[in-house]
Amino acid sequence: MEENKNKFVPDNKDMPFALLFILGTFISLAWGIWGGFRFGYAVSHVIALAIGTAYFVCRDKRITAYGLLCGIISLLLALPFAITSNAAVRILSAFAGVLLEWVWFASLSGKAGFNGDLGLFGFFLGAFFYGIGDMPKSVKAAASAKTEKSKKTLKILAGVLCAVPVLAVVIPLLISSDVAFETLAMKILPDAAPLAAQIILTIIIAPFIIGFAFSLKKREKSAFESKSFKGFDTAFSASFFAAVSLCYIVYLFSQLAYFFSAFSGFLPPKFEFSYAEYARRGFFELCAIAGINLVLIFFMIIFSKKKDGKIPAILKIFGCFIGAFTLLISATALSKMYLYIRNYGMTVLRLGTSVFMIIMALTFIAVIIRLFNEKIKVLQFALAVSGIALVVLGTFNINSLVVKYNYDAYKSGRLKEIDINYLYEIGEESVPYLYKLTDDKETEKNAEFALWSICNEMFYVEFDEKTNKMTGIEKIKTEFYENNSASKRAYEIFDENFDELFDGFLNDYEALGTLFEQAWENGEIEHN
């Protein structure tokens, strides 16, 4: 019965959309992954979202508000790839964008019930395993075209694929037999290797994308829903959480001075560790304790035996205490991080961990509310909040925020020193501020060396072989999909101010090593 109910009946939309999914996969590989997850990935993500929306949309299905929110956030997650150069934000945005995209598709196809607290997890698990398992049936459904036009398209595609191995043998023979054709081929074939890799990966990956899509649309909704569990006895659960809560109470009393000193703006006088260690201890305490507590409260919500569908009052009390304890840890950890940033400046890691702690705190607020309101779905809330946070970090460009904060703090006197080496490590977003720092006597030489290093990563520097002088620069990344707004701004600054920055400083290439060694020995280049 299950097999018949989930049998993939071919329809006229299968073949055209299968080809579109193949095209979308190729664009994602060629522009997105080969383009370094920059502007090209933003374009490919929007294209994939548009193709999926067109395939899954059903007039007779009601789109949920949460599904629509996920679709909007997923669309906005294209922005970080066009704006920031921060690799972590872009990778996380790619992952979150795919998850949110699938929730949107599930809403369009009427599969977005997500019943129960683990409904969202059950949906992703079902979509993954059914997508892989249904891949052969999906490809067969796409190939079982009924219309003459679809059959002709399939035959054309098969013919082109069969011609590929023949061309792989014929083209090298033609190159070796004719000089004119060899010259023409050499102009085209430098890009043949990556193109071949992209085509091969598309052939491997696309069938699974088709499997995920067809499975989500054609399988019954029940296949993606998590099953309920009756739960553990209340006496067992209450004694378990009572022991954990008692441990936290003892810990709180033993650490009161350590916790609350952060709010007064100074380090505990009886403890001998730095602001850096103080902030790190706060963060790792939060990660470990919050992770354990999140598992514990989810254990309570999902696996406790309920009466009339409600969690017993004693467990709610323990849950609220553990949640409040975690919020206290979050607040003190954030205050410690504030002390660290105020005294040593901001870094991407410090800002990123602060945002993570805020997301964790918001998630626990949702967990506490869930104890009293069954309509709150914590996993769905956490996914949406994480997506929004990535949109904000990517759109406002976390790298630019960090560099601007440190530059402004240095210029205003809040920071006595600015770490030029760290600005260099950030890369493209630092260029506008490093350029300004070349006018500062304290940072001029370090800033020029940092700019030169970044310039060498972004440009091919041309030299006159006779005079050994620099005569011009040429972009390394020339394709539109390999760049974003940060790299575009850096290119503009180097292009407009190249002579001003480097004329008389590094114009003689042979002197570069000597200048660097002298500056290092004189202490002019150092890690602040």
Side-chain angles (χ1 to χ4, degrees):
M1 182 67 181
E2 178 70 16
E3 181 64 28
N4 292 333
K5 188 164 59 175
N6 289 308
K7 186 177 181 181
F8 288 8
V9 180
D11 60 54
N12 294 335
K13 292 177 66 176
D14 288 345
M15 174 53 71
F17 275 98
L19 295 176
L20 286 174
F21 287 132
I22 293 171
L23 177 63
T25 303
F26 177 77
I27 292 174
S28 296
L29 290 168
W31 289 2
I33 297 177
W34 259 261
F37 288 95
R38 291 176 177 256
F39 185 73
Y41 190 87
V43 175
S44 66
H45 178 70
V46 173
I47 291 173
L49 195 63
I51 293 172
T53 300
Y55 178 68
F56 287 107
V57 67
C58 298
R59 293 182 180 179
D60 59 336
K61 304 295 183 182
R62 179 176 171 269
I63 300 174
T64 64
Y66 180 73
L68 180 60
L69 174 64
C70 288
I72 294 172
I73 298 173
S74 181
L75 180 63
L76 293 175
L77 278 173
L79 293 174
F81 304 99
I83 295 174
T84 184
S85 296
N86 186 279
V89 170
R90 285 182 285 136
I91 291 171
L92 290 173
S93 295
F95 180 71
V98 171
L99 296 182
L100 290 160
E101 189 177 52
W102 277 93
V103 174
W104 165 238
F105 294 157
S107 180
L108 288 174
S109 62
K111 307 293 194 312
F114 307 141
N115 294 332
D117 295 287
L118 289 177
L120 190 63
F121 177 77
F123 163 73
F124 286 133
L125 204 63
F128 179 76
F129 285 110
Y130 281 127
I132 293 175
D134 290 339
M135 188 268 285
K137 287 196 293 183
S138 301
V139 175
K140 182 179 178 182
S144 303
K146 293 182 179 180
T147 64
E148 192 63 33
K149 186 176 181 180
S150 296
K151 290 179 180 179
K152 184 177 287 188
T153 303
L154 184 61
K155 291 176 182 177
I156 293 172
L157 182 62
V160 172
L161 290 175
C162 290
V164 170
V166 177
L167 292 174
V169 176
V170 170
I171 290 176
L173 293 174
L174 292 175
I175 289 174
S176 61
S177 66
D178 184 78
V179 177
F181 185 77
E182 180 183 4
T183 305
L184 176 63
M186 288 301 102
K187 293 181 180 179
I188 301 172
L189 289 181
D191 296 326
L195 178 61
Q198 292 159 13
I199 291 173
I200 292 170
L201 284 175
T202 299
I203 294 172
I204 295 172
I205 296 171
F208 291 99
I209 301 297
I210 295 170
F212 294 145
F214 283 25
S215 178
L216 182 58
K217 186 168 184 178
K218 297 175 183 290
R219 270 193 174 271
E220 294 294 320
K221 181 179 178 180
S222 58
F224 302 96
E225 294 179 348
S226 57
K227 303 297 185 292
S228 60
F229 176 71
K230 292 183 178 180
F232 292 102
D233 187 79
T234 301
F236 167 80
S237 301
S239 59
F240 175 84
F241 286 105
V244 174
S245 298
L246 180 62
C247 176
Y248 285 160
I249 290 171
V250 174
Y251 183 76
L252 271 176
F253 276 105
S254 68
Q255 298 290 310
L256 283 177
Y258 170 71
F259 277 134
F260 294 106
S261 62
F263 288 106
S264 60
F266 54 86
L267 286 169
K270 296 182 181 180
F271 292 82
E272 297 181 356
F273 47 79
S274 66
Y275 284 107
E277 185 180 354
Y278 193 48
R280 281 196 296 270
R281 285 178 60 146
F283 175 66
F284 289 115
E285 284 168 1
L286 170 70
C287 286
I289 295 174
I292 293 170
N293 290 350
L294 187 61
V295 171
L296 290 178
I297 299 181
F298 251 80
F299 178 94
M300 176 191 297
I301 293 172
I302 298 166
F303 297 115
S304 62
K305 185 174 288 186
K306 301 173 181 63
K307 186 176 181 179
D308 298 326
K310 297 187 181 298
I311 299 171
I314 185 66
L315 295 182
K316 289 181 181 179
I317 293 172
F318 288 133
C320 287
F321 171 76
I322 293 172
F325 176 80
T326 307
L327 290 175
L328 177 63
I329 297 289
S330 301
T332 53
L334 279 168
S335 66
K336 294 170 189 177
M337 187 61 72
Y338 169 74
L339 284 176
Y340 193 16
I341 292 173
R342 189 183 69 182
N343 286 275
Y344 291 101
M346 187 180 289
T347 67
V348 171
L349 182 60
R350 292 166 200 168
L351 180 57
T353 52
S354 299
V355 172
F356 174 79
M357 286 189 279
I358 292 171
I359 294 173
M360 186 71 75
L362 291 173
T363 302
F364 267 94
I365 292 173
V367 166
I368 293 172
I369 296 173
R370 168 61 186 87
L371 291 170
F372 302 92
N373 188 341
E374 296 178 11
K375 294 181 179 180
I376 300 296
K377 299 293 186 291
V378 178
L379 288 180
Q380 293 177 223
F381 175 84
L383 177 61
V385 170
S386 300
I388 293 170
L390 287 169
V391 170
V392 173
L393 289 176
T395 304
F396 288 94
N397 198 341
I398 184 172
N399 285 6
S400 291
L401 289 174
V402 167
V403 177
K404 185 178 187 307
Y405 174 89
N406 290 332
Y407 176 82
D408 291 341
Y410 173 71
K411 283 299 184 180
S412 66
R414 295 198 308 273
L415 286 178
K416 295 181 180 179
E417 298 177 329
I418 186 167
D419 193 337
I420 300 295
N421 280 9
Y422 182 71
L423 297 189
Y424 158 70
E425 290 172 7
I426 286 181
E428 297 160 354
E429 284 91 341
S430 297
V431 170
Y433 297 94
L434 286 170
Y435 176 62
K436 293 178 181 179
L437 288 170
T438 57
D439 292 332
D440 188 304
K441 291 183 179 180
E442 296 293 327
T443 60
E444 178 184 4
K445 193 172 290 293
N446 280 358
E448 286 176 337
F449 271 113
L451 283 169
W452 171 254
S453 300
I454 296 173
C455 178
N456 270 300
E457 294 172 3
M458 300 183 69
F459 291 92
Y460 296 112
V461 181
E462 299 172 355
F463 290 89
D464 186 324
E465 295 182 359
K466 294 180 179 179
T467 61
N468 202 31
K469 303 291 184 180
M470 291 185 292
T471 58
I473 53 176
E474 180 183 348
K475 287 183 181 180
I476 291 177
K477 297 177 180 178
T478 57
E479 301 295 341
F480 79 95
Y481 53 79
E482 295 178 299
N483 294 287
N484 55 29
S485 61
S487 59
K488 183 175 180 293
R489 177 61 181 146
Y491 277 130
E492 289 174 351
I493 290 175
F494 280 127
D495 194 41
E496 294 170 2
N497 304 283
F498 189 83
D499 291 338
E500 175 192 340
L501 284 169
F502 303 121
D503 187 30
F505 171 63
L506 294 173
N507 213 25
D508 186 346
Y509 185 68
E510 292 181 346
L512 173 60
T514 304
L515 285 171
F516 186 85
E517 289 176 5
Q518 290 175 352
W520 184 271
E521 291 173 0
N522 295 334
E524 296 170 350
I525 298 177
E526 59 183 10
H527 193 286
N528 295 327

